[in-house]
Amino acid sequence: MLAEGATDAAPPAASAPDDLRPRRRFTAEQIRSALPEPGGFGWRDLRIGSTPRQTGSL
């Protein structure tokens, strides 16, 4: 990107139209209750093998 000269910030965007603005407000408590338990990142967070492999020839 730097080689292409993309170093300047884009101009500010206009506000979203009323029909696209969020209508539901969440409290800090609602957000905290939906978060996972605090802890380190582990292998289970990667979800390796959670989707079945597709078989067949291309």
Side-chain angles (χ1 to χ4, degrees):
M1 289 176 56
L2 293 175
E4 295 173 3
T7 58
D8 297 328
S15 296
D18 287 335
D19 60 332
L20 295 179
R21 290 186 181 168
R23 292 184 178 88
R24 185 175 299 189
R25 301 285 182 200
F26 293 102
T27 65
E29 183 57 37
Q30 288 172 316
I31 295 170
R32 279 190 207 98
S33 68
L35 292 173
E37 291 295 322
F41 184 79
W43 283 107
R44 290 192 296 167
D45 296 313
L46 296 175
R47 303 188 197 310
I48 295 175
S50 64
T51 57
R53 287 186 174 196
Q54 294 179 354
T55 57
S57 59
L58 295 175

